[in-house]
Amino acid sequence: MSLIVTVILPAQETPGPVRLARSQTGPYTMTERSNWSRYDNGKYTGHVYREVRSSIIPEETEKDVLLYRGNFFVLEETLRDMRQSARAVDDVIPVSFQMFSDGTVRIDDDKGFPHLRGFPAFPAESVRPGTVWTARGARAVDPRNEGCPVVIPIVAQYEYRGVEEYKNIPVHRVFAKYASRYESSGGQSFIKLHGSHEVDILIRVSDGLPLLMRDTMDETYVWPDGSTIRFRGFTLVFGEGSIPLDREAVIASIGSTLGSSTAANSVGHAANGPKDTIAGSGDLESTLRDAIGQASGGPGGNSEGISDGGIEVSSVPEGIRLTVNDIRFEPDSDQILSEERYRLDLIAQVLRQIPERTFLVEGHTAAVGRPAGELELSLRRAKRIVEELSARGIPQDRFIYKGWGGTRPLGDNSSETGRQRNRRVEITILE
């Protein structure tokens, strides 16, 4: 299966000169999908699909400077297109950066994201179809995913091609091309890079946000021992402005769902005898009263965080997090115990109320001296939770998942109480 390529309609004539400028200051998301053929030492070795998703949130605006923070989610590299599936996350990269009016970017604690810096770049003068300009930028590359990105300077040539519509949105169409050229005398990474890029770019007229870039590329990396890797194919970059989460309203809604569902389960106990309960929920009447109070900002809590026994809800920088405490699996297994069905039903009911958001599922274990096994188990358990929630009516492609093993403890692993706190699953509704 191959990626769907958006067909770009022929550009329409613009009645007069226009000014290209970036004025978008709200939150936005970027998804970068690469579809490449790979050649090792000149021999074709297979197809590569890479994907990076990011959620970028403005912190403040100064004159001619936009300050942003966000997270880049580096998804597991695959040999086939898995856009319709939940994807494992190889890494979560927090980023803070400044974007200047000319498109250049200054990044704090640079870890290679975003990959493109100062691209696309807009000229100071007005343009009309056929106008050509050049601008400097940079690109961070890490061909072997070793965590050691190299920032390559680029000089791109641009041509403005007019205004058209993309998904019923007026956009400027710009074509760009640049060469990849790099040589280094040594180091642990590659020592040479050569190649070319041709990029079709659609820029939203209203605020200068790039909505789509299709980068057709062919480049080769050379290492000190003479080995080479060549990538040939295309990368699609999708940008989209997003509406900020109304955190107070969402948390209140979740609190109402947790409370009413707990009440219904309590009635079921009275009418029909024992049923599955929320693990660790305790006094259901008290839990209901607290959840409703917290959801409304009244006694028992506030809209910044609520707790329903085994499920805690809180606002975090990435979005809104549901922490499922002491989730019960078979020992050393990803098989969920039957008494957890009710909690899974409840979580699915909550998530179905949140449209058009990505959910990050993170698995955590207690640390008992087996780091590699704990990491692998936490990943399998996170994936199992995704499968269970997907079976309850939430599309898999709305999930990404990550296992942390015992590396992020909340409690003391020397006590059973602490280990119970550490055995948890966190589900974040991403901003």
Side-chain angles (χ1 to χ4, degrees):
M1 183 182 295
S2 61
L3 290 174
I4 297 174
V5 179
T6 301
V7 176
I8 302 176
L9 299 176
Q12 301 171 358
E13 284 296 322
T14 306
V18 298
R19 179 77 180 275
L20 301 178
R22 178 77 179 265
S23 62
Q24 197 270 347
T25 58
Y28 65 94
T29 61
M30 298 291 288
T31 301
E32 178 183 306
R33 295 193 181 113
S34 298
N35 182 340
W36 302 335
S37 296
R38 174 169 170 162
Y39 303 81
D40 288 74
N41 301 317
K43 182 179 179 181
Y44 175 73
T45 53
H47 225 63
V48 174
Y49 292 91
R50 291 182 181 175
E51 184 167 330
V52 177
R53 302 180 188 179
S54 59
S55 178
I56 309 299
I57 305 167
E59 287 196 320
E60 57 182 289
T61 301
E62 299 178 356
K63 184 178 181 181
D64 298 326
V65 183
L66 306 176
L67 306 179
Y68 288 97
R69 64 171 174 82
N71 287 280
F72 283 76
F73 301 95
V74 185
L75 276 60
E76 181 182 46
E77 185 175 299
T78 66
L79 298 178
R80 61 189 180 91
D81 185 357
M82 297 183 64
R83 284 178 299 140
Q84 303 305 315
S85 304
R87 296 283 300 278
V89 174
D90 277 340
D91 208 353
V92 181
I93 310 293
V95 173
S96 175
F97 63 93
Q98 298 171 288
M99 182 178 295
F100 297 85
S101 58
D102 62 358
T104 58
V105 175
R106 180 181 300 162
I107 302 171
D108 300 327
D109 189 20
D110 192 349
K111 296 180 180 178
F113 297 91
H115 289 146
L116 287 170
R117 295 96 186 272
F119 184 96
F122 303 146
E125 303 80 14
S126 297
V127 298
R128 60 175 68 243
T131 298
V132 175
W133 68 96
T134 60
R136 295 183 179 275
R139 180 166 156 261
V141 296
D142 185 7
R144 288 179 172 170
N145 298 328
E146 298 170 310
C148 300
V150 177
V151 178
I152 308 296
I154 62 175
V155 178
Q157 178 178 298
Y158 299 87
E159 180 187 350
Y160 181 68
R161 295 189 172 177
V163 175
E164 58 187 67
E165 285 196 352
Y166 169 70
K167 295 184 176 180
N168 298 318
I169 299 172
V171 294
H172 300 290
R173 183 181 178 188
V174 175
F175 175 77
K177 60 182 179 180
Y178 63 89
S180 301
R181 295 287 184 270
Y182 174 80
E183 287 195 26
S184 173
S185 58
Q188 297 180 343
S189 189
F190 59 91
I191 58 172
K192 291 184 181 180
L193 165 63
H194 59 85
S196 62
H197 291 253
E198 294 186 348
V199 191
D200 280 300
I201 309 168
L202 298 183
I203 299 164
R204 190 160 61 188
V205 169
S206 61
D207 57 12
L209 177 69
L211 297 184
L212 173 65
M213 295 191 289
R214 189 183 195 278
D215 180 356
T216 303
M217 52 84 74
D218 184 352
E219 56 188 15
T220 300
Y221 298 83
V222 183
W223 274 263
D225 62 2
S227 61
T228 64
I229 296 179
R230 177 188 180 192
F231 294 110
R232 182 182 182 186
F234 63 89
T235 296
L236 296 178
V237 182
F238 301 91
E240 185 175 0
S242 59
I243 299 174
L245 274 174
D246 186 339
R247 298 192 181 211
E248 290 191 2
V250 171
I251 290 176
S253 175
I254 293 173
S256 177
T257 298
L258 294 178
S260 61
S261 296
T262 304
N265 197 50
S266 179
V267 171
H269 271 272
N272 303 315
K275 296 179 68 176
D276 290 341
T277 63
I278 297 179
S281 59
D283 183 344
L284 292 174
E285 182 178 355
S286 174
T287 300
L288 171 59
R289 181 174 60 251
D290 288 347
I292 292 174
Q294 289 159 334
S296 64
N302 57 60
S303 62
E304 285 304 308
I306 60 178
S307 174
D308 182 7
I311 303 176
E312 298 177 4
V313 185
S314 58
S315 179
V316 296
E318 297 82 5
I320 296 172
R321 177 170 295 160
L322 284 72
T323 300
V324 189
N325 292 303
D326 195 20
I327 189 78
R328 298 181 183 183
F329 294 86
E330 295 283 354
D332 297 320
S333 167
D334 63 354
Q335 296 301 311
I336 300 173
L337 296 182
S338 61
E339 54 260 39
E340 294 290 353
R341 287 197 301 267
Y342 177 71
R343 277 209 288 185
L344 292 169
D345 291 342
L346 185 57
I347 293 166
Q349 183 180 350
V350 166
L351 298 184
R352 284 196 297 266
Q353 300 174 30
I354 313 295
E356 299 179 359
R357 295 286 175 177
T358 295
F359 307 126
L360 170 65
V361 178
E362 298 170 282
H364 301 266
T365 67
V368 294
R370 296 182 286 109
E374 292 157 6
L375 182 63
E376 189 269 340
L377 179 61
S378 68
L379 181 64
R380 288 196 290 118
R381 287 180 170 180
K383 184 178 181 182
R384 175 67 67 176
I385 294 294
V386 169
E387 292 169 349
E388 291 286 345
L389 295 174
S390 179
R392 288 162 169 79
I394 304 171
Q396 275 209 16
D397 60 4
R398 294 186 62 191
F399 291 96
I400 55 179
Y401 61 93
K402 171 75 174 169
W404 293 102
T407 62
R408 295 189 171 187
L410 295 179
D412 185 351
N413 280 294
S414 65
S415 70
E416 179 54 32
T417 300
R419 289 192 292 272
Q420 285 180 353
R421 288 196 70 198
N422 296 334
R423 288 191 290 264
R424 68 194 189 278
V425 171
E426 296 172 337
I427 303 171
T428 304
I429 304 164
L430 294 176
E431 180 68 68

